[in-house]
Amino acid sequence: MTLARLMIAFAGGELPPVAAKWINEQGAAGVTLFRAHNVVDPPGIRRLTAAIQGARPAGAPPLLVAADQEGGQLVGLGAGTTQFAGSMALGATGDVGLAERVAGATARELRAVGVNVNYAPVCDVANNPANPALGIRSFGDDPDAVGTLAAATVRGLQDGGVAATAKHFPGAGDTEADPHHELPRVPRTNAELAERELVPFRAALAAGARMVMTGHFTLPGQDPDLPTSLSGAVLRDLLRGQLQFDGVTVSDALDMRALAQGSAQIVDAIIALRAGEDVLLGTPDQPALQRLAEGLAQAQRRGLIDAHDDAAARQRLDELRHWLGGFEQPALDVVGCGEHQALAAELARRSITLVRNDDRILPLRLPADARVAVVQSMPADLTPADTSSYVPPTLASALRRRHAGVDEILLPPEPGAADLAGLAERLATFDVVVLGTFSAHLQPAQARLAALVLGSGRPTITVALRTPWDLLAYPAARTHVCSYGILPPSMEALAAGLLGEAPFAGRLPVEIAGLYPRGHGLSAPG
């Protein structure tokens, strides 16, 4: 069997000979680019994708070249692209037109660097704050709102010639496990699934999404012990049958621990293809890819891959590749252009949400000699589907451009007792403290940091720099803001809001249970 149903990957910024051979001689379906393995800057990505397309056989349609350019928490093509705040920030604006404009700009940048498939939008509903893998990758916790914004993202991407990928089918929001590390369970009956998880996917498919990515988790209403990505009940009966999807399906990454690893991985790969998966998503593990290639070839020789299914999958892939070939490549200077930067700033400005202002200290009216402490941990990747560790902290510098007396106190991602020793005494010398936390409701160290700072007695503004549920970990905070991420445009917008340069316009796209409903948001008095 050739590699026509495998997305390959590799390490490095140049196309290695083995990958070129897999493309030219074995007909690989395409290549997935990963930030940690392939990305340096936009010119480098464009050179790499040109080499990838140049390796295909003469006359063949374009290969699929894919990336996770979700924005926000997962920016797969690096800091050289426009840093859009991502799905939950869009959810906080509730603006469908804005979502479509952001997706259109993303598509232009992807096309300019030679990427023609985006593994987005995320259609998962954020109805479980304990989900460690989702966070701000979701638009929110209302299925209809998520569907509306997902559909807008599909339209924006595909109008720009980039295939949208609705993920993670049939909906991985309500779990407390990370499929990168174990096999999660989503406790949904079929009726519940139809009422909640499937709603955004129906909207994305109605908008014309050309690809669907299946997730690795179990559903009691389907095959209760089989990952959804390996389930004919999910792929054939539900997706192809009930939802009438006729585009390309792709599995989530094969190296995730929800699936078998090592030599046993080929068994799950064969099961996935037999269940109806069109394409398998490989990762930059050359021995694993070689085992897959050999194992799939042997499976075909032994009749384990149905010839009719194989032909139908190849036909769907061929149709997608020919569609992708109908678009021109924009000039590279569209990447990070002024228009896109202004759009990123607009999204950030309109998403920042003032949740609580009980002491009415916002907006800050600071005397020239006032001292402000910005306390936060260094950003870290809380799941492998995360690029936060690449983002330098910029909140303090954004505030300092507006007020000279700003000091930054940076702590480790999980500050321990030694890191916190003396912090309260140090804060006593400041007039105001801005405390940024990262998923404090899931990270006890962040909750302890918040308790210490709030206990210092200094006027404190707490900011949920990632997921909006942090207030659950420190409900006594009296002034609280959500930024839905730490990318520079969001930090600029946050600083402007704190100092009264711009109104707070965002609204919570999720409920903070027992505290605030979805749609809550305040505007600080002028």
Side-chain angles (χ1 to χ4, degrees):
M1 182 178 185
T2 67
L3 298 182
R5 297 175 65 184
L6 183 66
M7 293 290 289
I8 66 169
F10 52 82
E14 297 183 0
L15 182 66
V18 65
K21 182 177 180 180
W22 285 339
I23 292 168
N24 186 271
E25 298 180 15
Q26 299 192 50
V31 176
T32 301
L33 301 182
F34 293 93
R35 182 164 181 173
H37 298 287
N38 308 114
V39 172
V40 176
D41 56 24
I45 302 170
R46 184 163 166 137
R47 287 191 297 271
L48 176 58
T49 58
I52 289 169
Q53 297 294 359
R56 71 188 192 274
L63 294 169
L64 308 184
V65 180
D68 285 296
Q69 190 76 347
E70 296 176 9
Q73 178 179 320
L74 186 53
V75 182
L77 294 183
T81 58
T82 301
Q83 305 292 283
F84 291 111
S87 297
M88 194 162 281
L90 284 164
T93 73
D95 190 326
V96 176
L98 179 60
E100 192 163 344
R101 286 191 288 138
V102 168
T106 300
R108 288 189 291 275
E109 298 201 2
L110 290 172
R111 269 282 173 179
V113 298
V115 173
N116 56 24
V117 172
N118 195 5
Y119 293 143
V122 172
C123 293
D124 302 324
V125 180
N127 47 24
N128 190 339
N131 187 326
L134 185 56
I136 58 173
R137 300 172 67 195
S138 171
F139 292 106
D141 67 5
D142 177 71
D144 291 318
V146 172
T148 299
L149 293 167
T153 301
V154 168
R155 292 191 298 270
L157 287 172
Q158 294 190 169
D159 285 350
V162 172
T165 310
K167 65 183 186 185
H168 305 83
F169 188 80
D174 191 7
T175 184
E176 297 182 9
D178 187 338
H180 295 90
H181 306 302
E182 59 185 296
L183 179 61
R185 181 176 183 270
V186 175
R188 288 286 186 264
T189 65
N190 287 344
E192 291 169 337
L193 196 73
E195 293 174 358
R196 304 178 201 179
E197 278 73 17
L198 293 184
V199 171
F201 287 97
R202 290 184 187 276
L205 299 190
R210 291 183 171 270
M211 294 183 68
V212 168
M213 177 182 286
T214 51
H216 303 315
F217 54 94
T218 63
L219 284 168
Q222 302 292 332
D223 292 317
D225 300 318
L226 198 62
T228 45
S229 53
L230 312 186
S231 168
V234 170
L235 283 156
R236 296 187 192 276
D237 301 340
L238 182 56
L239 182 57
R240 299 287 188 201
Q242 293 183 37
L243 271 60
Q244 298 290 294
F245 179 63
D246 60 1
V248 172
T249 63
V250 59
S251 73
D252 208 342
L254 295 179
D255 68 343
M256 296 167 74
R257 297 289 168 176
L259 300 183
Q261 297 300 304
S263 58
Q265 186 184 70
I266 186 59
V267 176
D268 279 356
I270 293 169
I271 294 171
L273 295 181
R274 288 171 60 88
E277 200 77 82
D278 288 337
V279 188
L280 304 174
L281 201 169
T283 53
D285 182 339
Q286 186 173 330
L289 288 173
Q290 190 64 47
R291 284 197 304 270
L292 281 169
E294 294 170 357
L296 293 175
Q298 182 69 359
Q300 188 176 47
R301 286 191 290 268
R302 293 291 186 253
L304 297 179
I305 307 299
D306 183 84
H308 175 76
D309 283 353
D310 189 47
R314 289 169 182 254
Q315 177 64 28
R316 286 188 289 267
L317 277 163
D318 192 59
E319 290 172 357
L320 175 59
R321 291 173 62 179
H322 276 94
W323 177 79
L324 292 171
F327 295 86
E328 297 295 326
Q329 185 173 31
L332 190 59
D333 59 9
V334 75
V335 180
C337 66
E339 178 186 351
H340 291 181
Q341 297 292 351
L343 183 58
E346 178 187 350
L347 168 57
R349 183 177 66 253
R350 295 175 57 190
S351 66
I352 305 296
T353 305
L354 177 59
V355 176
R356 183 180 285 176
N357 194 24
D358 290 355
D359 290 331
R360 299 180 70 84
I361 64 173
L362 290 179
L364 291 172
R365 305 299 187 195
L366 299 172
D369 61 348
R371 298 190 66 215
V372 178
V374 174
V375 182
Q376 70 170 81
S377 294
M378 287 295 296
D381 296 338
L382 303 186
T383 175
D386 193 347
T387 53
S388 299
S389 63
Y390 290 90
V391 184
T394 59
L395 175 55
S397 59
L399 284 169
R400 195 177 296 118
R401 281 191 289 274
R402 295 162 169 86
H403 179 80
V406 175
D407 284 5
E408 183 176 52
I409 300 175
L410 289 177
L411 300 168
E414 295 186 39
D419 302 303
L420 301 180
L423 179 59
E425 292 79 6
R426 184 177 177 186
L427 294 179
T429 65
F430 290 91
D431 300 288
V432 177
V433 178
V434 179
L435 168 66
T437 58
F438 295 90
S439 299
H441 67 297
L442 296 179
Q443 297 204 90
Q446 293 286 302
R448 288 192 293 271
L449 169 63
L452 186 151
V453 173
L454 290 168
S456 70
R458 306 312 302 154
T460 299
I461 302 159
T462 56
V463 182
L465 292 172
R466 190 165 170 135
T467 53
W469 299 286
D470 284 24
L471 198 58
L472 294 171
Y474 45 81
R478 297 183 59 79
T479 307
H480 186 69
V481 182
C482 293
S483 70
Y484 313 105
I486 56 171
L487 295 177
S490 294
M491 295 300 91
E492 285 293 329
L494 174 60
L498 295 179
L499 292 174
E501 294 179 5
F504 291 97
R507 296 293 181 266
L508 286 174
V510 298
E511 175 190 17
I512 301 179
L515 294 175
Y516 297 101
R518 179 194 321 115
H520 170 78
L522 304 174
S523 297

